[in-house]
Amino acid sequence: MNLNLRNAIIHNVTGNSQDQLEDTIVDAIQSGEEKMLPGLGVLFEVIWQNSSEADKKELLATLESGLKK
């Protein structure tokens, strides 16, 4: 069986409202399950690909700040 995980994840959330997308993200994070990580990665990829350079810099600053010890 040849399953393209990226396409399946995108298909599952295409057309979702912002509230539904937020619920998906929050549920994935709160569950803490490793199996949810690929889905979050695909969603981040969509965000990154559709962000301006300024938005990307803000995302990187937020990520850097969140990873500081």
Side-chain angles (χ1 to χ4, degrees):
M1 183 166 106
N2 185 10
L3 174 66
N4 185 327
L5 187 58
R6 179 180 279 111
N7 287 340
I9 292 165
I10 290 172
H11 175 75
N12 285 340
V13 296
T14 295
N16 284 8
S17 68
Q18 288 183 24
D19 287 339
Q20 290 170 313
L21 292 169
E22 181 179 11
D23 289 346
T24 298
I25 292 166
V26 169
D27 182 53
I29 292 169
Q30 287 181 347
S31 76
E33 294 182 34
E34 297 283 322
K35 69 181 182 179
M36 302 300 272
L37 293 176
L40 290 172
V42 171
L43 294 179
F44 183 77
E45 180 181 33
V46 171
I47 291 168
W48 188 262
Q49 290 174 341
N50 290 280
S51 294
S52 68
E53 289 304 312
D55 289 339
K56 287 178 182 178
K57 288 182 188 287
E58 185 176 346
L59 285 167
L60 291 170
T62 301
L63 182 58
E64 180 183 38
S65 175
L67 294 173
K68 287 189 177 179
K69 293 185 177 186

